[in-house]
């Protein structure tokens, strides 16, 4: 039996699959190996974590049961925002002002670090820096949104609050107030993951696939991993970065699997709204919209608390039609006709925050899980934090995302 819960993670064809990936050196696991750190998962999370650990000088091995970048990563829309799904004002009410502000600031640092690290490594992933436009909705009305802007300013974020007339004049969107957040990021998630994997391998990491982990024996002396082919991997530390295929028996810490749907239009660069900013809503279910460098419009949302793939896929046609309708209404200058459509499963938590750190009752084992709408942002956060935890330096914000936190 697999050590992780296997899922059908996505259906349909994301537009990212049109782009050929660079060759990623992959080996077959035919004999026992040992390493400082074993990273289970070769998607965007595992790739960023492995690169960070390899850069720290740790002898790193990566395994994946499918192969590199073949799980949920292609289903990502790669809106790499610092704004957490849960508004800062709401998160403060739930976990306290200090912890909420620290989480938001750390998310901001993670986006900046991702941009800077990607540039330093010379990774080309069709990345771009964009502002975000956060529209009023049924979660935050205009008055609530103004208070949210004040909360963000208090925490040190440079934002602007726009009234409906300003939103209409600047972006062509009617009847909505908005917060403008600055210097977010977007990319092609497959190319981004491939770039980080290749960088890790260039630093000495080894990638083995396909490899199915079936058993984990953890002790204070280290970790022994058994594979479906009967090959053993010995490591001083183990990192579970399997995304939404969680480790069996791991504490969920409020994490759950839900579903999302996405459409992408044909390229229409002349119809893109001013600045081409990321657009999303303070609504439930909410809409999120971005562009690509070629002028495709990607629109996702309609999230539902569905974990079963068959149940998710039964709604594909209706959800695609609903997203098309919403996109046409919000941005009438755009041709909303889908050229691509897909659905996917992803992890969420009660506060929209991740769980990163030591796994209870499993010495020398660490997990990165529960990413929500900020998946790749939290992947960079996990890479930074796990590097500190495993190397012995620790992390000043580890209490915010640990299994032992009280929220």
């Amino acid at each position: 039996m697999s050590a992780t819960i296997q899922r059908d993670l996505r259906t349909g064809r994301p537009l990212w699959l049109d782009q050929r990936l660079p060759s990623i050196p992959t080996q077959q696991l035919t004999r026992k190996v040992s390493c400082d750190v074993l990273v289970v998962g070769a998607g965007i999370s595992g790739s960023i974590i492995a690169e960070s650990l390899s850069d720290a000088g740790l002898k790193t091995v990566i395994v994946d049961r499918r192969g590199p970048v073949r799980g949920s990563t292609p289903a990502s829309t790669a809106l790499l925002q610092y704004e957490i799904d849960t508004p800062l004002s709401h998160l403060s009410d739930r976990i306290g002002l200090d912890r909420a502000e620290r989480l938001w600031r750390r998310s901001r640092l993670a986006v900046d670090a991702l941009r800077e690290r990607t540039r330093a490594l010379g990774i080309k992933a069709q990345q771009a820096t964009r502002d975000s436009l956060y529209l009023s909705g049924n979660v935050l009305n205009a008055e609530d949104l103004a208070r949210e802007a004040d909360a963000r300013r208090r925490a040190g974020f440079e934002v602007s609050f726009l009234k409906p007339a300003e939103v209409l004049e600047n972006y062509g969107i009617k009847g909505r107030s908005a917060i403008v957040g600055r210097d977010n990021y977007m990319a092609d998630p497959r190319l981004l993951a491939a770039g980080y994997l290749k960088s890790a391998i260039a630093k000495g990491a080894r990638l083995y696939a396909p490899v199915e982990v079936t058993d984990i024996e953890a002790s204070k002396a280290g970790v022994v991993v058994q594979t479906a082919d009967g090959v053993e991997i010995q490591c001083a530390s183990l990192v579970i970065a399997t995304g939404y295929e969680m480790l069996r028996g791991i504490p969920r810490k409020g994490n759950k699997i839900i579903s999302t749907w996405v459409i992408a239009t044909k390229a229409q660069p002349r119809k893109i709204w001013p600045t081409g900013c990321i657009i999303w809503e303070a609504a439930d279910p909410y809409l999120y919209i971005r562009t690509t460098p070629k002028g495709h419009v990607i629109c996702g949302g309609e999230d539902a608390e569905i974990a079963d793939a068959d149940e998710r896929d039964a709604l594909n046609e209706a959800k695609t039609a609903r997203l098309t309708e919403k996109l046409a209404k919000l941005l009438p200058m755009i041709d909303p006709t889908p050229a691509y459509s897909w659905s996917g499963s992803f992890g969420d938590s009660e506060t929209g925050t991740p769980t990163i750190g030591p796994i209870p009752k499993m010495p020398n084992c660490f997990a990165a899980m529960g990413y929500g709408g900020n998946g790749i942002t939290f992947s960079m956060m996990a890479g930074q934090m796990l590097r500190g935890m495993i190397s012995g330096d620790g992390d000043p914000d580890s209490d915010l995302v640990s299994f032992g936190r009280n929220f």
Side-chain angles (χ1 to χ4, degrees), residues 8-298:
D8 179 358
L9 293 170
R10 55 185 170 86
T11 301
R13 183 172 176 81
L15 82 166
W16 315 120
L17 296 179
D18 287 353
Q19 180 69 43
R20 176 177 291 183
L21 280 183
S23 177
I24 302 172
T26 305
Q27 304 178 46
Q28 289 188 327
L29 185 64
T30 58
R31 58 185 177 85
K32 177 180 175 180
V33 299
S34 61
C35 56
D36 294 326
V37 186
L38 172 63
V39 177
V40 182
I44 187 63
S45 301
S47 66
I48 291 175
I49 291 167
E51 193 281 326
S52 182
L53 297 174
S54 298
D55 184 69
L58 295 167
K59 184 180 178 182
T60 304
V61 167
I62 312 155
V63 298
D64 193 287
R65 74 180 184 90
R66 292 184 179 87
V69 202
R70 294 184 183 176
S72 61
T73 297
S76 172
T77 51
L79 282 78
L80 315 180
Q81 298 175 253
Y82 72 84
E83 296 105 327
I84 295 173
D85 280 355
T86 305
L88 178 56
S89 53
H90 287 191
L91 192 60
S92 298
D93 290 340
R94 297 191 65 170
I95 69 173
L97 180 60
D98 176 69
R99 289 190 292 187
E101 289 185 342
R102 285 173 59 204
L103 271 165
W104 269 68
R105 292 187 191 113
R106 188 58 187 256
S107 184
R108 166 84 269 177
L109 288 173
V111 170
D112 292 343
L114 183 64
R115 175 172 33 242
E116 293 158 9
R117 188 64 181 161
T118 301
R119 182 175 62 193
L121 295 173
I123 295 171
K124 305 298 183 183
Q126 300 180 7
Q127 61 265 44
T129 296
R130 292 286 185 271
D131 292 346
S132 64
L133 189 72
Y134 186 45
L135 300 171
S136 56
N138 60 15
V139 171
L140 296 176
N141 61 26
E143 185 177 346
D144 297 330
L145 203 65
R147 285 196 292 268
E148 174 70 11
D150 288 340
R152 296 185 188 185
R153 292 190 193 100
R154 181 195 182 282
F157 298 101
E158 180 54 41
V159 299
S160 300
F161 176 74
L162 304 182
K163 296 181 178 180
E166 296 171 292
V167 175
L168 178 61
E169 179 181 357
N170 293 328
Y171 301 98
I173 297 174
K174 296 181 179 179
R176 311 286 281 274
S177 299
I179 294 174
V180 177
R182 294 178 173 83
D183 291 342
N184 282 295
Y185 200 49
M186 57 189 189
D188 178 321
R190 293 175 75 239
L191 292 177
L192 194 65
Y196 274 87
L197 280 173
K198 287 174 68 68
S199 180
I201 292 167
K203 294 181 176 72
R206 289 170 288 164
L207 170 59
Y208 296 99
V211 173
E212 180 77 53
V213 172
T214 56
D215 188 57
I216 299 169
E217 297 179 10
S219 71
K220 293 180 180 179
V223 184
V224 178
V225 170
Q226 301 291 340
T227 72
D229 293 328
V231 181
E232 184 177 284
I233 305 172
Q234 293 184 340
C235 54
S237 298
L238 172 72
V239 173
I240 300 296
T242 51
Y244 313 131
E245 295 184 314
M246 298 177 187
L247 182 68
R248 294 184 188 276
I250 193 173
R252 294 302 180 91
K253 197 58 188 177
N255 294 309
K256 57 189 175 183
I257 299 298
I258 66 175
S259 296
T260 194
W261 289 264
V262 189
I263 61 172
T265 72
K266 66 180 181 181
Q268 44 189 316
R270 295 184 179 179
K271 295 183 179 181
I272 301 302
W273 52 97
T275 76
C277 63
I278 296 167
I279 300 173
W280 62 309
E281 300 178 309
D284 184 18
Y286 71 94
L287 207 66
Y288 47 93
I289 303 170
R290 60 159 286 191
T291 63
T292 70
K294 292 183 179 180
H296 301 278
V297 177
I298 302 171

Side-chain angles (χ1 to χ4, degrees), residues 306-372:
I306 295 173
D308 180 76
D310 291 336
E311 187 178 352
R312 176 196 72 207
D313 294 347
L315 295 174
N316 286 352
E317 184 176 347
K319 292 290 189 177
T320 295
R322 182 63 175 148
L323 288 172
T324 304
E325 178 186 350
K326 284 187 171 183
L327 178 60
K329 183 177 180 180
L330 188 67
L331 298 169
M333 76 289 286
I334 295 297
D335 177 358
T337 307
Y340 308 82
S341 64
W342 66 96
S343 60
S345 299
F346 72 100
D348 195 19
S349 67
E350 295 175 1
T351 57
T353 58
T355 302
I356 302 166
I359 301 173
K361 300 181 181 180
M362 293 185 68
N364 295 305
C365 294
F366 302 81
M369 57 186 282
Y371 293 115

